[in-house]
Amino acid sequence: MKPSWKVKLLSVAMLSVAGCSSLPGSDVSASNNGGGGPQKSASSAPAPAQPSPLPSDTVLAGRTAAADGFYKLKIDLLQLDREGKLVTVNYAVTVTGHDRASGWDVGDAFSAVPSDDPSADGVYLIDAKNGKKHLVARDAEQKCVCTDSTESIIINTDQTVTFTATFAAPPEDVTAMDVYIPLAGTFKNVPLT
């Protein structure tokens, strides 16, 4: 049974308020910073993504994954960058093969919850030192500070698309974090640069 739109809305609202949640035994802090992702396409039909080449020296870690049962993916973690009070994660997704007539429609694959306006807000960080889970930051309109409108992204074979998500930074003494990316799992102990 599919959850009603009210349940979905409540779930999104609860995630928006959380921002940065605690693991057991730690206190809660949240951040709400401005920003956003790419603008929505004027048409309702998804457009094929534009390839974005990656220099090999920018990949921190990579994993293979499958999507929708037909698509083979390579997901590369490119950056975990601290800039002041923010941390930005950049990751790239490449479709390495499929047996379908068209490319992979990203849709809500990287979303925290299914939505009519999916985004990359399903990415999160773990500060193991302080026992905190950092959720994607939200702007004043409660939109994620991440790649949004992912329902309009289609990735064809051998194309790469880069996604981004921004978070409240951990304390200065935290030098590495775990990065969770849907479909790829957790990348452990990634150095903050």
Side-chain angles (χ1 to χ4, degrees), residues 8-178:
K8 289 179 184 178
L9 181 61
L10 180 59
S11 298
V12 170
M14 288 172 34
L15 286 172
S16 297
V17 172
C20 176
S21 65
S22 296
L23 296 175
S26 62
D27 61 23
V28 175
S29 65
S31 175
N32 188 14
N33 297 295
Q39 298 298 315
K40 282 191 175 188
S41 169
S43 72
S44 61
Q50 297 300 314
S52 46
L54 300 173
S56 61
D57 63 341
T58 64
V59 177
L60 299 175
R63 301 245 170 89
T64 58
D68 301 334
F70 304 104
Y71 299 91
K72 295 176 185 169
L73 309 177
K74 183 167 189 306
I75 301 175
D76 291 317
L77 178 59
L78 305 177
Q79 182 181 36
L80 182 59
D81 184 45
R82 180 195 304 262
E83 191 170 320
K85 294 181 180 183
L86 301 174
V87 170
T88 300
V89 170
N90 290 315
Y91 62 99
V93 178
T94 304
V95 172
T96 59
H98 64 85
D99 61 359
R100 309 309 286 173
S102 62
W104 179 50
D105 182 355
V106 174
D108 62 8
F110 298 112
S111 294
V113 295
S115 152
D116 290 335
D117 187 21
S119 67
D121 67 350
V123 175
Y124 60 82
L125 304 176
I126 297 291
D127 169 1
K129 183 174 185 177
N130 295 299
K132 292 193 178 196
K133 178 180 179 180
H134 292 251
L135 302 178
V136 173
R138 301 279 172 177
D139 66 15
E141 296 172 355
Q142 294 305 304
K143 301 267 296 167
C144 78
V145 185
C146 65
T147 303
D148 64 2
S149 302
T150 57
E151 80 281 1
S152 65
I153 299 173
I154 294 177
I155 308 174
N156 290 309
T157 302
D158 297 327
Q159 282 188 317
T160 299
V161 175
T162 301
F163 295 82
T164 186
T166 302
F167 306 83
E172 287 294 324
D173 65 337
V174 175
T175 59
M177 299 184 84
D178 296 346

